[in-house]
């Protein structure tokens, strides 16, 4: 899932997916909860990975830390314009 754009045009200094949309939940929270729910319901190793930019990586990984069942670090992202 593409997550590389800062929301500077919307007055944000982080990824647009970290914008709160409802009751303290961000777009990213909703997506992470959907993936976690599917993994639990279907008992499957469902891969979830984001394409971040250098500017969105840290904030995104920090926000996803509350969902350890999804993985961490390089399990969750690759950074645009960066080779492994």
């Amino acid at each position: 899932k593409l997550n590389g754009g800062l929301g500077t045009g919307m007055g944000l200094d982080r990824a647009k997916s970290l914008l709160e949309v409802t009751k303290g939940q961000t777009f990213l929270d909703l997506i992470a909860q959907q993936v976690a729910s599917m993994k639990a319901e279907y008992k499957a190793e469902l891969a979830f990975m984001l394409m971040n930019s250098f500017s969105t990586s840290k904030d995104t990984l920090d926000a996803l830390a509350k969902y350890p069942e999804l993985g961490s670090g390089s399990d969750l992202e690759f950074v645009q314009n960066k080779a492994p």
Side-chain angles (χ1 to χ4, degrees):
K1 200 160 200 51
L2 175 62
N3 192 54
L6 284 176
T8 53
M10 300 164 60
L12 302 173
D13 60 354
R14 58 185 189 252
K16 291 183 277 275
S17 65
L18 297 174
L19 179 66
E20 185 177 319
V21 290
T22 183
K23 300 177 186 168
Q25 301 282 301
T26 65
F27 283 115
L28 189 58
D29 285 319
L30 299 177
I31 293 165
Q33 290 166 12
Q34 283 180 323
V35 173
S37 175
M38 287 189 295
K39 287 179 76 150
E41 182 176 346
Y42 298 109
K43 297 176 182 28
E45 281 301 314
L46 179 63
F48 174 63
M49 183 168 273
L50 297 168
M51 181 172 71
N52 277 319
S53 69
F54 175 78
S55 300
T56 60
S57 178
K58 183 178 180 340
D59 288 340
T60 299
L61 292 178
D62 289 348
L64 288 173
K66 61 185 165 188
Y67 303 102
E69 66 274 24
L70 299 182
S72 63
S74 62
D75 295 338
L76 290 175
E77 73 162 358
F78 65 94
V79 179
Q80 297 171 17
N81 300 317
K82 183 178 176 185

